Amino acid sequence: MKFSIQSRNDSQSNELMGLAKNYLQDFGLILDELEPDIVISIGGDGTLLHAFHNHVKRLDKVAFVGIHTGHLGFYADWKPSELEKLVLCIAKNQYRVVEYPLLEVNVCNNSETTTYLALNEATIKSPSVTLVMDVFLNDRHFERFRGDGLCISTPSGSTAYNKALGGAIIHPTLRAIQITEMASINNRVFRTIGSSLVLPDHHTCTLKPVRTQEFTMTVDHIQLKHDELESIIFRVAKERVRFARFRPFPFWERVHDSFISNE
Ligand code: NAP
Protein backbone atom coordinates (compact mmCIF):
# COMPACT_ATOMS: atom_id res chain seq x y z
CA MET A 1 0.00 0.00 0.00
CA LYS A 2 1.16 3.54 -0.79
CA PHE A 3 0.82 6.43 1.62
CA SER A 4 1.55 10.13 1.85
CA ILE A 5 1.56 12.52 4.79
CA GLN A 6 0.40 16.14 4.91
CA SER A 7 1.75 18.12 7.86
CA ARG A 8 0.59 21.49 9.19
CA ASN A 9 4.31 22.27 9.24
CA ASP A 10 4.65 23.17 12.92
CA SER A 11 7.34 21.39 14.93
CA GLN A 12 5.01 18.88 16.63
CA SER A 13 3.26 17.92 13.37
CA ASN A 14 6.59 17.59 11.52
CA GLU A 15 8.05 15.43 14.31
CA LEU A 16 5.00 13.17 14.21
CA MET A 17 5.23 13.03 10.41
CA GLY A 18 8.84 11.76 10.69
CA LEU A 19 7.77 9.06 13.17
CA ALA A 20 4.77 8.00 11.07
CA LYS A 21 6.90 7.73 7.90
CA ASN A 22 9.43 5.49 9.68
CA TYR A 23 6.76 3.25 11.28
CA LEU A 24 4.82 2.83 8.04
CA GLN A 25 7.95 2.10 6.00
CA ASP A 26 9.03 -0.46 8.66
CA PHE A 27 5.73 -2.25 7.89
CA GLY A 28 6.55 -2.25 4.16
CA LEU A 29 4.30 0.62 3.10
CA ILE A 30 5.61 2.82 0.30
CA LEU A 31 5.81 6.60 0.50
CA ASP A 32 4.21 8.03 -2.65
CA GLU A 33 3.31 11.72 -2.58
CA LEU A 34 1.61 11.64 -6.00
CA GLU A 35 -0.52 8.50 -6.01
CA PRO A 36 -1.09 7.34 -2.43
CA ASP A 37 -3.88 4.97 -1.40
CA ILE A 38 -4.08 6.63 2.00
CA VAL A 39 -3.26 10.22 3.03
CA ILE A 40 -2.49 10.93 6.67
CA SER A 41 -3.04 14.55 7.60
CA ILE A 42 -1.25 15.77 10.75
CA GLY A 43 -2.34 19.12 12.20
CA GLY A 44 -6.00 20.13 12.22
CA ASP A 45 -9.09 20.17 10.05
CA GLY A 46 -7.47 22.96 8.03
CA THR A 47 -4.55 20.62 7.23
CA LEU A 48 -6.97 18.01 5.94
CA LEU A 49 -8.55 20.64 3.67
CA HIS A 50 -5.09 21.16 2.11
CA ALA A 51 -4.60 17.38 1.76
CA PHE A 52 -8.04 17.07 0.12
CA HIS A 53 -7.25 19.74 -2.49
CA ASN A 54 -3.82 18.23 -3.20
CA HIS A 55 -5.55 14.98 -4.19
CA VAL A 56 -8.86 16.35 -5.51
CA LYS A 57 -8.26 14.83 -8.97
CA ARG A 58 -8.16 11.24 -7.63
CA LEU A 59 -10.76 11.18 -4.85
CA ASP A 60 -12.04 7.74 -5.88
CA LYS A 61 -8.59 6.22 -5.29
CA VAL A 62 -7.57 7.78 -2.00
CA ALA A 63 -8.78 7.64 1.61
CA PHE A 64 -7.98 10.34 4.19
CA VAL A 65 -7.33 10.11 7.91
CA GLY A 66 -6.43 12.94 10.28
CA ILE A 67 -4.36 13.25 13.47
CA HIS A 68 -4.87 16.45 15.46
CA THR A 69 -1.86 18.13 17.02
CA GLY A 70 -4.10 20.87 18.41
CA HIS A 71 -7.72 20.45 19.46
CA LEU A 72 -10.00 17.59 18.38
CA GLY A 73 -11.16 18.11 14.81
CA PHE A 74 -13.97 16.79 12.64
CA TYR A 75 -11.62 15.41 10.02
CA ALA A 76 -8.63 15.17 12.38
CA ASP A 77 -9.94 12.88 15.11
CA TRP A 78 -6.89 10.81 16.12
CA LYS A 79 -4.65 11.87 19.02
CA PRO A 80 -0.84 12.02 18.56
CA SER A 81 -0.51 9.40 21.34
CA GLU A 82 -2.47 6.95 19.16
CA LEU A 83 0.02 7.07 16.26
CA GLU A 84 1.37 3.53 16.76
CA LYS A 85 -2.15 2.09 16.97
CA LEU A 86 -3.12 3.95 13.80
CA VAL A 87 -0.03 2.74 11.92
CA LEU A 88 -0.81 -0.87 12.92
CA CYS A 89 -4.40 -0.56 11.67
CA ILE A 90 -3.19 0.92 8.35
CA ALA A 91 -0.48 -1.72 7.92
CA LYS A 92 -2.94 -4.54 8.64
CA ASN A 93 -5.60 -2.92 6.42
CA GLN A 94 -7.99 -2.87 9.38
CA TYR A 95 -10.22 -0.04 8.31
CA ARG A 96 -13.40 0.64 6.44
CA VAL A 97 -14.07 3.56 4.15
CA VAL A 98 -16.89 6.04 4.76
CA GLU A 99 -17.90 8.50 2.06
CA TYR A 100 -19.12 12.05 2.61
CA PRO A 101 -20.85 14.35 0.10
CA LEU A 102 -19.05 17.28 -1.53
CA LEU A 103 -20.19 20.58 -3.02
CA GLU A 104 -19.79 21.18 -6.75
CA VAL A 105 -19.29 24.82 -7.72
CA ASN A 106 -19.64 25.82 -11.39
CA VAL A 107 -18.48 29.33 -12.21
CA CYS A 108 -19.95 30.31 -15.60
CA ASN A 109 -18.76 33.16 -17.79
CA ASN A 110 -19.05 33.69 -21.57
CA SER A 111 -20.08 30.08 -22.15
CA GLU A 112 -17.02 28.88 -20.23
CA THR A 113 -17.56 26.93 -17.03
CA THR A 114 -14.94 26.24 -14.39
CA THR A 115 -15.79 23.56 -11.86
CA TYR A 116 -14.49 23.25 -8.30
CA LEU A 117 -15.14 20.79 -5.48
CA ALA A 118 -15.41 21.93 -1.87
CA LEU A 119 -15.03 19.76 1.21
CA ASN A 120 -16.33 22.46 3.59
CA GLU A 121 -17.94 25.30 1.67
CA ALA A 122 -17.84 28.00 -0.97
CA THR A 123 -18.44 31.64 -0.12
CA ILE A 124 -19.20 34.70 -2.18
CA LYS A 125 -18.81 38.19 -0.78
CA SER A 126 -18.39 41.71 -2.03
CA PRO A 127 -15.24 43.30 -0.59
CA SER A 128 -16.46 46.86 -0.30
CA VAL A 129 -20.17 47.28 -1.03
CA THR A 130 -23.34 45.26 -0.43
CA LEU A 131 -23.44 42.00 -2.39
CA VAL A 132 -26.52 41.92 -4.62
CA MET A 133 -27.34 38.55 -6.17
CA ASP A 134 -30.42 36.94 -7.64
CA VAL A 135 -30.88 33.51 -6.09
CA PHE A 136 -32.53 30.80 -8.22
CA LEU A 137 -33.55 27.40 -6.86
CA ASN A 138 -33.89 24.84 -9.65
CA ASP A 139 -33.92 27.69 -12.20
CA ARG A 140 -36.85 29.50 -10.54
CA HIS A 141 -36.21 32.93 -9.11
CA PHE A 142 -36.35 32.68 -5.31
CA GLU A 143 -35.11 36.00 -3.97
CA ARG A 144 -32.83 38.98 -4.55
CA PHE A 145 -30.16 38.72 -1.85
CA ARG A 146 -28.60 41.86 -0.44
CA GLY A 147 -26.06 41.61 2.32
CA ASP A 148 -22.48 40.68 3.16
CA GLY A 149 -22.46 37.36 1.34
CA LEU A 150 -23.58 33.77 1.08
CA CYS A 151 -22.02 30.55 2.29
CA ILE A 152 -22.88 27.26 0.58
CA SER A 153 -21.66 24.32 2.61
CA THR A 154 -21.42 20.54 2.62
CA PRO A 155 -22.79 18.50 5.55
CA SER A 156 -19.26 17.90 6.92
CA GLY A 157 -18.50 21.61 6.42
CA SER A 158 -21.67 22.56 8.30
CA THR A 159 -19.66 22.58 11.56
CA ALA A 160 -17.18 25.13 10.14
CA TYR A 161 -17.94 28.62 8.73
CA ASN A 162 -21.61 27.70 8.27
CA LYS A 163 -22.02 27.08 12.00
CA ALA A 164 -20.41 30.42 12.85
CA LEU A 165 -23.06 32.06 10.63
CA GLY A 166 -25.90 30.36 12.51
CA GLY A 167 -26.50 27.57 9.98
CA ALA A 168 -27.67 24.10 10.99
CA ILE A 169 -25.36 21.17 11.60
CA ILE A 170 -26.14 18.45 9.06
CA HIS A 171 -25.25 14.79 9.41
CA PRO A 172 -22.80 13.84 6.62
CA THR A 173 -24.81 10.79 5.58
CA LEU A 174 -27.36 13.25 4.15
CA ARG A 175 -26.56 14.11 0.54
CA ALA A 176 -27.38 17.81 0.74
CA ILE A 177 -25.97 21.32 0.56
CA GLN A 178 -26.85 24.26 2.79
CA ILE A 179 -27.16 27.94 1.83
CA THR A 180 -26.55 30.31 4.72
CA GLU A 181 -26.75 34.09 4.67
CA MET A 182 -24.14 36.52 5.92
CA ALA A 183 -25.83 39.60 7.36
CA SER A 184 -28.69 39.99 4.88
CA ILE A 185 -30.50 43.31 4.61
CA ASN A 186 -34.12 42.88 5.63
CA ASN A 187 -36.52 45.81 5.92
CA ARG A 188 -39.75 47.02 4.33
CA VAL A 189 -38.05 47.31 0.94
CA PHE A 190 -35.62 44.41 0.77
CA ARG A 191 -36.42 40.85 1.79
CA THR A 192 -34.59 37.55 1.96
CA ILE A 193 -35.72 34.27 3.50
CA GLY A 194 -33.50 34.82 6.55
CA SER A 195 -33.17 31.10 7.34
CA SER A 196 -30.64 28.62 6.03
CA LEU A 197 -31.91 26.47 3.18
CA VAL A 198 -31.02 22.78 2.85
CA LEU A 199 -31.15 21.41 -0.69
CA PRO A 200 -31.27 17.69 -1.59
CA ASP A 201 -28.91 16.20 -4.13
CA HIS A 202 -31.09 16.64 -7.20
CA HIS A 203 -31.60 20.40 -6.63
CA THR A 204 -29.46 23.34 -7.73
CA CYS A 205 -28.86 26.81 -6.43
CA THR A 206 -27.80 29.43 -8.97
CA LEU A 207 -26.52 32.90 -8.14
CA LYS A 208 -26.57 35.66 -10.75
CA PRO A 209 -25.12 39.13 -10.20
CA VAL A 210 -27.65 41.91 -10.60
CA ARG A 211 -25.13 44.65 -11.37
CA THR A 212 -21.48 44.87 -12.21
CA GLN A 213 -19.62 44.56 -8.93
CA GLU A 214 -16.45 43.10 -7.44
CA PHE A 215 -16.67 39.68 -5.80
CA THR A 216 -14.46 37.60 -3.62
CA MET A 217 -15.06 33.90 -3.81
CA THR A 218 -13.60 31.07 -1.79
CA VAL A 219 -13.66 27.31 -2.02
CA ASP A 220 -12.54 26.03 1.40
CA HIS A 221 -9.25 27.89 2.13
CA ILE A 222 -8.71 28.78 -1.54
CA GLN A 223 -9.43 32.26 -2.87
CA LEU A 224 -10.77 32.10 -6.44
CA LYS A 225 -9.99 34.67 -9.09
CA HIS A 226 -12.81 35.43 -11.53
CA ASP A 227 -13.01 39.01 -12.79
CA GLU A 228 -16.30 38.60 -14.58
CA LEU A 229 -19.15 36.33 -13.74
CA GLU A 230 -22.47 35.37 -15.33
CA SER A 231 -23.61 32.83 -12.79
CA ILE A 232 -22.48 30.32 -10.20
CA ILE A 233 -24.29 27.00 -9.93
CA PHE A 234 -24.06 24.91 -6.76
CA ARG A 235 -25.16 21.30 -6.32
CA VAL A 236 -24.20 18.14 -4.46
CA ALA A 237 -21.22 16.73 -6.40
CA LYS A 238 -21.25 13.25 -7.89
CA GLU A 239 -17.73 12.83 -6.45
CA ARG A 240 -17.39 11.95 -2.75
CA VAL A 241 -14.58 12.21 -0.27
CA ARG A 242 -13.47 8.93 1.36
CA PHE A 243 -12.34 8.72 4.97
CA ALA A 244 -10.57 5.71 6.46
CA ARG A 245 -12.41 4.74 9.67
CA PHE A 246 -10.59 2.50 12.12
CA ARG A 247 -13.12 2.63 14.94
CA PRO A 248 -16.59 4.06 15.43
CA PHE A 249 -16.65 7.75 16.32
CA PRO A 250 -20.24 8.83 15.65
CA PHE A 251 -20.67 12.30 14.14
CA TRP A 252 -22.92 13.55 16.97
CA GLU A 253 -20.28 12.46 19.49
CA ARG A 254 -17.71 14.51 17.58
CA VAL A 255 -20.12 17.47 17.61
CA HIS A 256 -20.61 17.04 21.35
CA ASP A 257 -16.88 16.67 22.09
CA SER A 258 -15.95 19.64 19.89
CA PHE A 259 -18.60 22.14 20.92
CA ILE A 260 -20.09 21.07 24.27
CA SER A 261 -17.44 19.27 26.32
CA ASN A 262 -14.86 16.55 25.80
CA GLU A 263 -14.84 15.20 29.34
P1 NAP B 1 -8.25 27.55 9.17
O1 NAP B 1 -7.52 28.22 10.25
O2 NAP B 1 -7.67 26.35 8.50
O3 NAP B 1 -9.71 27.15 9.68
C1 NAP B 1 -10.43 28.00 10.53
C2 NAP B 1 -11.03 27.17 11.63
O4 NAP B 1 -12.05 26.33 11.08
C3 NAP B 1 -10.01 26.25 12.31
O5 NAP B 1 -10.22 26.31 13.71
C4 NAP B 1 -10.36 24.89 11.74
O6 NAP B 1 -10.04 23.82 12.61
C5 NAP B 1 -11.85 25.01 11.61
N1 NAP B 1 -12.47 24.03 10.69
C6 NAP B 1 -12.10 23.72 9.42
N2 NAP B 1 -12.92 22.80 8.92
C7 NAP B 1 -13.83 22.51 9.90
C8 NAP B 1 -14.94 21.63 9.99
N3 NAP B 1 -15.32 20.89 8.95
N4 NAP B 1 -15.65 21.62 11.15
C9 NAP B 1 -15.31 22.39 12.19
N5 NAP B 1 -14.27 23.24 12.17
C10 NAP B 1 -13.54 23.30 11.04
O7 NAP B 1 -8.62 28.70 8.14
P2 NAP B 1 -8.47 28.72 6.58
O8 NAP B 1 -7.10 28.32 6.18
O9 NAP B 1 -9.01 30.01 6.10
O10 NAP B 1 -9.42 27.48 6.21
C11 NAP B 1 -10.63 27.68 5.64
C12 NAP B 1 -11.72 27.18 6.52
O11 NAP B 1 -11.87 28.05 7.63
C13 NAP B 1 -12.99 27.30 5.74
O12 NAP B 1 -13.31 26.11 5.07
C14 NAP B 1 -14.02 27.74 6.75
O13 NAP B 1 -14.92 26.71 7.10
C15 NAP B 1 -13.24 28.14 7.97
N6 NAP B 1 -13.59 29.51 8.32
C16 NAP B 1 -14.32 29.71 9.43
C17 NAP B 1 -14.75 30.99 9.76
C18 NAP B 1 -15.56 31.17 11.01
O14 NAP B 1 -15.80 30.17 11.72
N7 NAP B 1 -16.01 32.37 11.28
C19 NAP B 1 -14.41 32.08 8.97
C20 NAP B 1 -13.67 31.85 7.82
C21 NAP B 1 -13.28 30.55 7.49
P3 NAP B 1 -8.51 23.36 12.91
O15 NAP B 1 -8.03 24.33 13.93
O16 NAP B 1 -8.68 21.97 13.42
O17 NAP B 1 -7.73 23.44 11.62
Side-chain angles (χ1 to χ4, degrees):
M1 194 198 294
K2 295 175 290 178
F3 73 95
S4 82
I5 304 186
Q6 176 94 37
S7 163
R8 184 165 52 194
N9 234 350
D10 55 274
S11 57
Q12 193 194 356
S13 303
N14 286 344
E15 195 180 315
L16 219 57
M17 175 167 73
L19 280 175
K21 274 185 187 168
N22 290 340
Y23 287 161
L24 286 161
Q25 284 169 333
D26 286 349
F27 277 102
L29 276 85
I30 300 154
L31 180 64
D32 186 335
E33 305 286 357
L34 295 179
E35 295 191 334
D37 303 302
I38 190 155
V39 174
I40 303 161
S41 153
I42 305 179
D45 285 339
T47 319
L48 208 136
L49 288 178
H50 283 80
F52 168 84
H53 284 280
N54 286 342
H55 297 278
V56 74
K57 297 268 189 290
R58 42 189 309 282
L59 292 176
D60 54 335
K61 296 186 184 69
V62 67
F64 297 89
V65 61
I67 302 176
H68 60 88
T69 46
H71 56 91
L72 169 71
F74 278 85
Y75 306 125
D77 53 7
W78 281 76
K79 294 185 213 139
S81 58
E82 295 176 306
L83 177 66
E84 288 182 35
K85 202 166 136 191
L86 180 64
V87 167
L88 262 180
C89 292
I90 295 173
K92 292 185 175 171
N93 230 341
Q94 285 172 340
Y95 63 88
R96 70 187 183 95
V97 169
V98 295
E99 295 185 331
Y100 284 179
L102 297 169
L103 169 72
E104 181 186 296
V105 183
N106 295 290
V107 182
C108 311
N109 194 31
N110 294 332
S111 71
E112 247 183 48
T113 301
T114 317
T115 302
Y116 303 91
L117 289 178
L119 175 56
N120 269 354
E121 78 286 288
T123 66
I124 177 143
K125 300 180 200 177
S126 171
S128 46
V129 291
T130 303
L131 179 81
V132 188
M133 281 274 171
D134 274 332
V135 178
F136 295 79
L137 298 181
N138 303 332
D139 298 328
R140 283 193 67 163
H141 187 259
F142 182 75
E143 67 182 15
R144 180 159 287 182
F145 176 87
R146 285 183 177 79
D148 280 4
L150 288 161
C151 169
I152 298 90
S153 59
T154 64
S156 61
S158 66
T159 50
Y161 201 174
N162 167 74
K163 182 177 182 298
L165 296 168
I169 296 182
I170 302 210
H171 196 281
T173 50
L174 298 174
R175 288 183 52 75
I177 55 172
Q178 180 170 189
I179 306 158
T180 297
E181 299 180 348
M182 298 175 193
S184 56
I185 300 176
N186 269 291
N187 52 36
R188 273 189 290 180
V189 184
F190 303 131
R191 183 144 316 280
T192 67
I193 189 72
S195 325
S196 289
L197 301 176
V198 178
L199 268 52
D201 67 355
H202 56 291
H203 287 196
T204 56
C205 167
T206 304
L207 303 182
K208 288 188 185 168
V210 173
R211 58 188 189 202
T212 309
Q213 70 173 138
E214 264 189 87
F215 304 104
T216 58
M217 283 181 63
T218 61
V219 167
D220 298 333
H221 56 285
I222 301 163
Q223 185 99 35
L224 302 186
K225 287 186 179 50
H226 288 279
D227 292 337
E228 281 174 42
L229 188 66
E230 263 165 33
S231 64
I232 320 166
I233 306 168
F234 303 92
R235 59 166 67 92
V236 177
K238 58 183 185 315
E239 296 86 351
R240 296 159 195 233
V241 59
R242 303 162 78 240
F243 290 102
R245 282 274 177 268
F246 300 87
R247 56 168 179 219
F249 192 179
F251 179 72
W252 296 124
E253 245 173 67
R254 263 178 283 156
V255 172
H256 171 272
D257 293 357
S258 297
F259 295 119
I260 308 286
S261 147
N262 65 354
E263 278 158 21

